Amino acid sequence: MHAGVGDRIQVHGRTVGSAEQHGEILEVRGPDGAPPYLVRFADGHEGLVYPGPDCEVLTHAD
């Protein structure tokens, strides 16, 4: 998975009834766009994300 600052990340709910989370990538800490990513989510909290199979990166071109 590769991303850049300003790209969006979408975390799909893992269980029935879990809401999806959306956020903006503020910082890429891995080499060449690799994780982890510092993300600001829609509710305002920020966290370090190591994306799994339930994550999708939406680049500026998407």
mmCIF file of all heavy atoms in Angstrom, residues 10-54:
data_model
loop_
_atom_site.group_PDB
_atom_site.id
_atom_site.type_symbol
_atom_site.label_atom_id
_atom_site.label_comp_id
_atom_site.label_asym_id
_atom_site.label_seq_id
_atom_site.Cartn_x
_atom_site.Cartn_y
_atom_site.Cartn_z
ATOM 1 N N GLN A 10 -9.919 5.194 3.920
ATOM 2 C CA GLN A 10 -11.244 4.715 4.295
ATOM 3 C C GLN A 10 -11.048 3.370 4.984
ATOM 4 O O GLN A 10 -10.417 2.469 4.426
ATOM 5 C CB GLN A 10 -12.102 4.563 3.053
ATOM 6 C CG GLN A 10 -13.494 4.095 3.302
ATOM 7 C CD GLN A 10 -14.318 4.082 2.017
ATOM 8 O OE1 GLN A 10 -13.857 4.451 0.956
ATOM 9 N NE2 GLN A 10 -15.537 3.653 2.128
ATOM 10 N N VAL A 11 -11.562 3.268 6.203
ATOM 11 C CA VAL A 11 -11.475 2.031 6.970
ATOM 12 C C VAL A 11 -12.875 1.434 7.015
ATOM 13 O O VAL A 11 -13.787 2.014 7.606
ATOM 14 C CB VAL A 11 -10.938 2.274 8.394
ATOM 15 C CG1 VAL A 11 -10.805 0.954 9.137
ATOM 16 C CG2 VAL A 11 -9.613 3.021 8.349
ATOM 17 N N HIS A 12 -13.034 0.290 6.376
ATOM 18 C CA HIS A 12 -14.339 -0.376 6.330
ATOM 19 C C HIS A 12 -14.614 -1.060 7.660
ATOM 20 O O HIS A 12 -13.697 -1.566 8.308
ATOM 21 C CB HIS A 12 -14.364 -1.418 5.208
ATOM 22 C CG HIS A 12 -14.072 -0.839 3.859
ATOM 23 N ND1 HIS A 12 -14.994 -0.086 3.161
ATOM 24 C CD2 HIS A 12 -12.956 -0.873 3.091
ATOM 25 C CE1 HIS A 12 -14.462 0.295 2.012
ATOM 26 N NE2 HIS A 12 -13.231 -0.166 1.948
ATOM 27 N N GLY A 13 -15.881 -1.074 8.072
ATOM 28 C CA GLY A 13 -16.262 -1.754 9.300
ATOM 29 C C GLY A 13 -15.988 -3.242 9.202
ATOM 30 O O GLY A 13 -16.234 -3.858 8.174
ATOM 31 N N ARG A 14 -15.458 -3.808 10.264
ATOM 32 C CA ARG A 14 -15.103 -5.231 10.255
ATOM 33 C C ARG A 14 -16.265 -6.143 10.619
ATOM 34 O O ARG A 14 -16.259 -7.311 10.297
ATOM 35 C CB ARG A 14 -13.989 -5.495 11.257
ATOM 36 C CG ARG A 14 -12.699 -4.878 10.878
ATOM 37 C CD ARG A 14 -11.636 -5.353 11.823
ATOM 38 N NE ARG A 14 -10.552 -4.397 11.862
ATOM 39 C CZ ARG A 14 -9.510 -4.506 12.634
ATOM 40 N NH1 ARG A 14 -9.423 -5.520 13.451
ATOM 41 N NH2 ARG A 14 -8.572 -3.600 12.610
ATOM 42 N N THR A 15 -17.229 -5.613 11.341
ATOM 43 C CA THR A 15 -18.355 -6.423 11.774
ATOM 44 C C THR A 15 -19.653 -5.763 11.338
ATOM 45 O O THR A 15 -19.688 -4.564 11.050
ATOM 46 C CB THR A 15 -18.363 -6.589 13.310
ATOM 47 O OG1 THR A 15 -18.428 -5.298 13.912
ATOM 48 C CG2 THR A 15 -17.109 -7.306 13.790
ATOM 49 N N VAL A 16 -20.700 -6.539 11.321
ATOM 50 C CA VAL A 16 -22.005 -6.013 10.946
ATOM 51 C C VAL A 16 -22.387 -4.890 11.895
ATOM 52 O O VAL A 16 -22.271 -5.022 13.118
ATOM 53 C CB VAL A 16 -23.073 -7.128 10.980
ATOM 54 C CG1 VAL A 16 -24.454 -6.563 10.721
ATOM 55 C CG2 VAL A 16 -22.747 -8.209 9.968
ATOM 56 N N GLY A 17 -22.784 -3.764 11.340
ATOM 57 C CA GLY A 17 -23.186 -2.625 12.141
ATOM 58 C C GLY A 17 -22.064 -1.655 12.456
ATOM 59 O O GLY A 17 -22.310 -0.578 12.979
ATOM 60 N N SER A 18 -20.822 -2.033 12.161
ATOM 61 C CA SER A 18 -19.701 -1.116 12.390
ATOM 62 C C SER A 18 -19.668 -0.072 11.288
ATOM 63 O O SER A 18 -19.755 -0.403 10.110
ATOM 64 C CB SER A 18 -18.366 -1.868 12.384
ATOM 65 O OG SER A 18 -18.285 -2.741 13.461
ATOM 66 N N ALA A 19 -19.518 1.166 11.672
ATOM 67 C CA ALA A 19 -19.472 2.249 10.694
ATOM 68 C C ALA A 19 -18.085 2.343 10.060
ATOM 69 O O ALA A 19 -17.083 1.978 10.672
ATOM 70 C CB ALA A 19 -19.807 3.564 11.377
ATOM 71 N N GLU A 20 -18.073 2.828 8.829
ATOM 72 C CA GLU A 20 -16.802 3.099 8.170
ATOM 73 C C GLU A 20 -16.219 4.378 8.743
ATOM 74 O O GLU A 20 -16.940 5.252 9.214
ATOM 75 C CB GLU A 20 -16.998 3.278 6.669
ATOM 76 C CG GLU A 20 -17.388 2.016 5.958
ATOM 77 C CD GLU A 20 -17.428 2.192 4.453
ATOM 78 O OE1 GLU A 20 -17.409 3.335 3.964
ATOM 79 O OE2 GLU A 20 -17.479 1.175 3.767
ATOM 80 N N GLN A 21 -14.902 4.483 8.705
ATOM 81 C CA GLN A 21 -14.218 5.692 9.144
ATOM 82 C C GLN A 21 -13.476 6.274 7.950
ATOM 83 O O GLN A 21 -12.923 5.536 7.130
ATOM 84 C CB GLN A 21 -13.231 5.397 10.262
ATOM 85 C CG GLN A 21 -13.882 4.920 11.521
ATOM 86 C CD GLN A 21 -12.854 4.717 12.627
ATOM 87 O OE1 GLN A 21 -11.651 4.731 12.397
ATOM 88 N NE2 GLN A 21 -13.343 4.541 13.831
ATOM 89 N N HIS A 22 -13.470 7.600 7.864
ATOM 90 C CA HIS A 22 -12.800 8.298 6.772
ATOM 91 C C HIS A 22 -11.829 9.289 7.383
ATOM 92 O O HIS A 22 -12.121 9.894 8.406
ATOM 93 C CB HIS A 22 -13.814 9.063 5.915
ATOM 94 C CG HIS A 22 -14.878 8.192 5.348
ATOM 95 N ND1 HIS A 22 -14.734 7.554 4.147
ATOM 96 C CD2 HIS A 22 -16.089 7.829 5.821
ATOM 97 C CE1 HIS A 22 -15.826 6.849 3.903
ATOM 98 N NE2 HIS A 22 -16.662 7.002 4.916
ATOM 99 N N GLY A 23 -10.682 9.450 6.735
ATOM 100 C CA GLY A 23 -9.719 10.408 7.242
ATOM 101 C C GLY A 23 -8.768 10.891 6.166
ATOM 102 O O GLY A 23 -8.740 10.372 5.051
ATOM 103 N N GLU A 24 -7.989 11.900 6.535
ATOM 104 C CA GLU A 24 -6.990 12.477 5.634
ATOM 105 C C GLU A 24 -5.608 12.128 6.156
ATOM 106 O O GLU A 24 -5.331 12.256 7.355
ATOM 107 C CB GLU A 24 -7.136 13.995 5.591
ATOM 108 C CG GLU A 24 -6.107 14.662 4.721
ATOM 109 C CD GLU A 24 -6.197 16.180 4.742
ATOM 110 O OE1 GLU A 24 -7.090 16.719 5.420
ATOM 111 O OE2 GLU A 24 -5.374 16.811 4.082
ATOM 112 N N ILE A 25 -4.735 11.701 5.260
ATOM 113 C CA ILE A 25 -3.373 11.360 5.631
ATOM 114 C C ILE A 25 -2.582 12.655 5.792
ATOM 115 O O ILE A 25 -2.463 13.439 4.851
ATOM 116 C CB ILE A 25 -2.734 10.425 4.597
ATOM 117 C CG1 ILE A 25 -3.515 9.100 4.574
ATOM 118 C CG2 ILE A 25 -1.252 10.200 4.900
ATOM 119 C CD1 ILE A 25 -3.097 8.134 3.502
ATOM 120 N N LEU A 26 -2.070 12.861 7.013
ATOM 121 C CA LEU A 26 -1.319 14.070 7.335
ATOM 122 C C LEU A 26 0.180 13.875 7.180
ATOM 123 O O LEU A 26 0.913 14.821 6.901
ATOM 124 C CB LEU A 26 -1.606 14.500 8.777
ATOM 125 C CG LEU A 26 -3.058 14.768 9.142
ATOM 126 C CD1 LEU A 26 -3.169 15.068 10.623
ATOM 127 C CD2 LEU A 26 -3.612 15.902 8.309
ATOM 128 N N GLU A 27 0.622 12.645 7.395
ATOM 129 C CA GLU A 27 2.055 12.358 7.365
ATOM 130 C C GLU A 27 2.270 10.901 6.992
ATOM 131 O O GLU A 27 1.543 10.023 7.449
ATOM 132 C CB GLU A 27 2.630 12.635 8.757
ATOM 133 C CG GLU A 27 4.117 12.521 8.875
ATOM 134 C CD GLU A 27 4.589 12.858 10.285
ATOM 135 O OE1 GLU A 27 4.005 13.764 10.917
ATOM 136 O OE2 GLU A 27 5.538 12.200 10.743
ATOM 137 N N VAL A 28 3.260 10.656 6.149
ATOM 138 C CA VAL A 28 3.654 9.295 5.767
ATOM 139 C C VAL A 28 4.974 9.017 6.468
ATOM 140 O O VAL A 28 5.953 9.723 6.244
ATOM 141 C CB VAL A 28 3.808 9.172 4.236
ATOM 142 C CG1 VAL A 28 4.286 7.777 3.865
ATOM 143 C CG2 VAL A 28 2.502 9.501 3.543
ATOM 144 N N ARG A 29 5.013 8.005 7.304
ATOM 145 C CA ARG A 29 6.215 7.743 8.102
ATOM 146 C C ARG A 29 7.058 6.601 7.561
ATOM 147 O O ARG A 29 8.178 6.393 8.020
ATOM 148 C CB ARG A 29 5.830 7.470 9.546
ATOM 149 C CG ARG A 29 5.192 8.695 10.177
ATOM 150 C CD ARG A 29 5.169 8.615 11.656
ATOM 151 N NE ARG A 29 4.629 9.846 12.218
ATOM 152 C CZ ARG A 29 4.357 9.994 13.488
ATOM 153 N NH1 ARG A 29 4.563 9.008 14.330
ATOM 154 N NH2 ARG A 29 3.879 11.143 13.921
ATOM 155 N N GLY A 30 6.541 5.844 6.607
ATOM 156 C CA GLY A 30 7.305 4.759 6.011
ATOM 157 C C GLY A 30 8.046 5.244 4.774
ATOM 158 O O GLY A 30 7.766 6.321 4.241
ATOM 159 N N PRO A 31 8.993 4.437 4.289
ATOM 160 C CA PRO A 31 9.741 4.826 3.090
ATOM 161 C C PRO A 31 8.884 4.716 1.825
ATOM 162 O O PRO A 31 8.079 3.795 1.690
ATOM 163 C CB PRO A 31 10.904 3.828 3.061
ATOM 164 C CG PRO A 31 10.407 2.640 3.818
ATOM 165 C CD PRO A 31 9.455 3.174 4.855
ATOM 166 N N ASP A 32 9.045 5.654 0.919
ATOM 167 C CA ASP A 32 8.391 5.622 -0.397
ATOM 168 C C ASP A 32 6.874 5.464 -0.330
ATOM 169 O O ASP A 32 6.281 4.707 -1.103
ATOM 170 C CB ASP A 32 8.988 4.517 -1.271
ATOM 171 C CG ASP A 32 10.468 4.727 -1.525
ATOM 172 O OD1 ASP A 32 10.864 5.896 -1.745
ATOM 173 O OD2 ASP A 32 11.232 3.739 -1.494
ATOM 174 N N GLY A 33 6.226 6.140 0.604
ATOM 175 C CA GLY A 33 4.769 6.118 0.691
ATOM 176 C C GLY A 33 4.188 4.935 1.442
ATOM 177 O O GLY A 33 2.977 4.731 1.458
ATOM 178 N N ALA A 34 5.035 4.156 2.082
ATOM 179 C CA ALA A 34 4.571 2.978 2.827
ATOM 180 C C ALA A 34 4.085 3.381 4.222
ATOM 181 O O ALA A 34 4.445 4.438 4.741
ATOM 182 C CB ALA A 34 5.698 1.966 2.938
ATOM 183 N N PRO A 35 3.245 2.548 4.834
ATOM 184 C CA PRO A 35 2.764 2.815 6.183
ATOM 185 C C PRO A 35 3.910 2.807 7.186
ATOM 186 O O PRO A 35 4.966 2.262 6.897
ATOM 187 C CB PRO A 35 1.808 1.665 6.460
ATOM 188 C CG PRO A 35 1.551 1.013 5.160
ATOM 189 C CD PRO A 35 2.693 1.351 4.271
ATOM 190 N N PRO A 36 3.675 3.347 8.376
ATOM 191 C CA PRO A 36 2.423 3.837 8.938
ATOM 192 C C PRO A 36 2.106 5.262 8.482
ATOM 193 O O PRO A 36 2.973 5.992 8.013
ATOM 194 C CB PRO A 36 2.665 3.800 10.442
ATOM 195 C CG PRO A 36 4.136 4.026 10.584
ATOM 196 C CD PRO A 36 4.760 3.364 9.374
ATOM 197 N N TYR A 37 0.823 5.633 8.663
ATOM 198 C CA TYR A 37 0.331 6.958 8.282
ATOM 199 C C TYR A 37 -0.266 7.651 9.498
ATOM 200 O O TYR A 37 -0.984 7.025 10.279
ATOM 201 C CB TYR A 37 -0.766 6.848 7.212
ATOM 202 C CG TYR A 37 -0.376 6.029 6.017
ATOM 203 C CD1 TYR A 37 -1.158 4.961 5.604
ATOM 204 C CD2 TYR A 37 0.765 6.323 5.283
ATOM 205 C CE1 TYR A 37 -0.814 4.216 4.493
ATOM 206 C CE2 TYR A 37 1.121 5.572 4.172
ATOM 207 C CZ TYR A 37 0.335 4.520 3.785
ATOM 208 O OH TYR A 37 0.693 3.776 2.685
ATOM 209 N N LEU A 38 0.022 8.938 9.625
ATOM 210 C CA LEU A 38 -0.658 9.748 10.632
ATOM 211 C C LEU A 38 -1.915 10.280 9.964
ATOM 212 O O LEU A 38 -1.841 10.925 8.922
ATOM 213 C CB LEU A 38 0.221 10.903 11.112
ATOM 214 C CG LEU A 38 -0.406 11.810 12.163
ATOM 215 C CD1 LEU A 38 -0.701 11.029 13.450
ATOM 216 C CD2 LEU A 38 0.501 12.989 12.458
ATOM 217 N N VAL A 39 -3.071 9.972 10.542
ATOM 218 C CA VAL A 39 -4.362 10.268 9.917
ATOM 219 C C VAL A 39 -5.220 11.119 10.843
ATOM 220 O O VAL A 39 -5.278 10.873 12.047
ATOM 221 C CB VAL A 39 -5.117 8.952 9.585
ATOM 222 C CG1 VAL A 39 -6.488 9.226 9.016
ATOM 223 C CG2 VAL A 39 -4.297 8.096 8.623
ATOM 224 N N ARG A 40 -5.890 12.122 10.263
ATOM 225 C CA ARG A 40 -6.921 12.883 10.980
ATOM 226 C C ARG A 40 -8.264 12.387 10.473
ATOM 227 O O ARG A 40 -8.582 12.510 9.296
ATOM 228 C CB ARG A 40 -6.812 14.382 10.751
ATOM 229 C CG ARG A 40 -7.920 15.144 11.519
ATOM 230 C CD ARG A 40 -7.881 16.648 11.314
ATOM 231 N NE ARG A 40 -6.603 17.195 11.721
ATOM 232 C CZ ARG A 40 -5.858 17.995 10.957
ATOM 233 N NH1 ARG A 40 -6.260 18.344 9.755
ATOM 234 N NH2 ARG A 40 -4.709 18.459 11.402
ATOM 235 N N PHE A 41 -9.045 11.820 11.377
ATOM 236 C CA PHE A 41 -10.340 11.263 11.010
ATOM 237 C C PHE A 41 -11.421 12.334 11.027
ATOM 238 O O PHE A 41 -11.226 13.425 11.567
ATOM 239 C CB PHE A 41 -10.696 10.107 11.954
ATOM 240 C CG PHE A 41 -9.838 8.894 11.728
ATOM 241 C CD1 PHE A 41 -8.696 8.683 12.488
ATOM 242 C CD2 PHE A 41 -10.135 7.989 10.730
ATOM 243 C CE1 PHE A 41 -7.894 7.583 12.269
ATOM 244 C CE2 PHE A 41 -9.340 6.887 10.504
ATOM 245 C CZ PHE A 41 -8.212 6.679 11.278
ATOM 246 N N ALA A 42 -12.557 12.017 10.441
ATOM 247 C CA ALA A 42 -13.658 12.967 10.275
ATOM 248 C C ALA A 42 -14.140 13.542 11.606
ATOM 249 O O ALA A 42 -14.596 14.681 11.657
ATOM 250 C CB ALA A 42 -14.812 12.307 9.534
ATOM 251 N N ASP A 43 -14.024 12.779 12.691
ATOM 252 C CA ASP A 43 -14.478 13.278 13.997
ATOM 253 C C ASP A 43 -13.427 14.156 14.682
ATOM 254 O O ASP A 43 -13.642 14.637 15.787
ATOM 255 C CB ASP A 43 -14.894 12.123 14.904
ATOM 256 C CG ASP A 43 -13.749 11.206 15.289
ATOM 257 O OD1 ASP A 43 -12.594 11.443 14.858
ATOM 258 O OD2 ASP A 43 -13.998 10.236 16.034
ATOM 259 N N GLY A 44 -12.275 14.364 14.020
ATOM 260 C CA GLY A 44 -11.259 15.263 14.537
ATOM 261 C C GLY A 44 -10.089 14.598 15.243
ATOM 262 O O GLY A 44 -9.061 15.227 15.453
ATOM 263 N N HIS A 45 -10.223 13.326 15.618
ATOM 264 C CA HIS A 45 -9.098 12.698 16.311
ATOM 265 C C HIS A 45 -8.027 12.286 15.309
ATOM 266 O O HIS A 45 -8.307 12.068 14.135
ATOM 267 C CB HIS A 45 -9.556 11.529 17.192
ATOM 268 C CG HIS A 45 -9.703 10.220 16.510
ATOM 269 N ND1 HIS A 45 -10.845 9.839 15.846
ATOM 270 C CD2 HIS A 45 -8.834 9.178 16.384
ATOM 271 C CE1 HIS A 45 -10.675 8.633 15.360
ATOM 272 N NE2 HIS A 45 -9.473 8.207 15.646
ATOM 273 N N GLU A 46 -6.796 12.218 15.784
ATOM 274 C CA GLU A 46 -5.675 11.823 14.955
ATOM 275 C C GLU A 46 -5.062 10.558 15.526
ATOM 276 O O GLU A 46 -5.074 10.340 16.732
ATOM 277 C CB GLU A 46 -4.612 12.925 14.913
ATOM 278 C CG GLU A 46 -5.092 14.188 14.247
ATOM 279 C CD GLU A 46 -4.043 15.286 14.218
ATOM 280 O OE1 GLU A 46 -2.881 15.040 14.623
ATOM 281 O OE2 GLU A 46 -4.388 16.394 13.789
ATOM 282 N N GLY A 47 -4.549 9.720 14.631
ATOM 283 C CA GLY A 47 -3.923 8.496 15.081
ATOM 284 C C GLY A 47 -2.993 7.933 14.035
ATOM 285 O O GLY A 47 -3.077 8.261 12.850
ATOM 286 N N LEU A 48 -2.095 7.068 14.493
ATOM 287 C CA LEU A 48 -1.165 6.389 13.621
ATOM 288 C C LEU A 48 -1.840 5.127 13.103
ATOM 289 O O LEU A 48 -2.335 4.313 13.885
ATOM 290 C CB LEU A 48 0.100 6.046 14.404
ATOM 291 C CG LEU A 48 1.355 5.750 13.630
ATOM 292 C CD1 LEU A 48 1.725 6.902 12.710
ATOM 293 C CD2 LEU A 48 2.503 5.458 14.579
ATOM 294 N N VAL A 49 -1.883 4.964 11.779
ATOM 295 C CA VAL A 49 -2.602 3.852 11.172
ATOM 296 C C VAL A 49 -1.636 2.947 10.424
ATOM 297 O O VAL A 49 -0.834 3.413 9.608
ATOM 298 C CB VAL A 49 -3.688 4.375 10.193
ATOM 299 C CG1 VAL A 49 -4.367 3.233 9.468
ATOM 300 C CG2 VAL A 49 -4.705 5.212 10.941
ATOM 301 N N TYR A 50 -1.711 1.663 10.738
ATOM 302 C CA TYR A 50 -1.029 0.617 9.992
ATOM 303 C C TYR A 50 -2.139 -0.110 9.232
ATOM 304 O O TYR A 50 -2.801 -0.978 9.796
ATOM 305 C CB TYR A 50 -0.319 -0.354 10.936
ATOM 306 C CG TYR A 50 0.847 0.248 11.667
ATOM 307 C CD1 TYR A 50 0.669 0.995 12.820
ATOM 308 C CD2 TYR A 50 2.142 0.064 11.199
ATOM 309 C CE1 TYR A 50 1.738 1.545 13.501
ATOM 310 C CE2 TYR A 50 3.225 0.607 11.864
ATOM 311 C CZ TYR A 50 3.020 1.338 13.022
ATOM 312 O OH TYR A 50 4.094 1.882 13.692
ATOM 313 N N PRO A 51 -2.408 0.246 7.975
ATOM 314 C CA PRO A 51 -3.574 -0.271 7.261
ATOM 315 C C PRO A 51 -3.546 -1.784 7.095
ATOM 316 O O PRO A 51 -2.497 -2.372 6.844
ATOM 317 C CB PRO A 51 -3.508 0.403 5.901
ATOM 318 C CG PRO A 51 -2.464 1.444 5.991
ATOM 319 C CD PRO A 51 -1.616 1.142 7.156
ATOM 320 N N GLY A 52 -4.719 -2.359 7.240
ATOM 321 C CA GLY A 52 -4.901 -3.781 7.021
ATOM 322 C C GLY A 52 -5.773 -4.008 5.813
ATOM 323 O O GLY A 52 -6.035 -3.085 5.020
ATOM 324 N N PRO A 53 -6.287 -5.222 5.659
ATOM 325 C CA PRO A 53 -7.113 -5.544 4.487
ATOM 326 C C PRO A 53 -8.453 -4.817 4.476
ATOM 327 O O PRO A 53 -9.122 -4.780 3.446
ATOM 328 C CB PRO A 53 -7.311 -7.047 4.591
ATOM 329 C CG PRO A 53 -7.047 -7.380 6.011
ATOM 330 C CD PRO A 53 -6.069 -6.360 6.516
ATOM 331 N N ASP A 54 -8.834 -4.201 5.595
ATOM 332 C CA ASP A 54 -10.097 -3.477 5.667
ATOM 333 C C ASP A 54 -9.935 -1.990 5.329
ATOM 334 O O ASP A 54 -10.851 -1.207 5.493
ATOM 335 C CB ASP A 54 -10.734 -3.635 7.040
ATOM 336 C CG ASP A 54 -9.825 -3.185 8.182
ATOM 337 O OD1 ASP A 54 -8.607 -3.047 7.952
ATOM 338 O OD2 ASP A 54 -10.327 -2.982 9.292
#
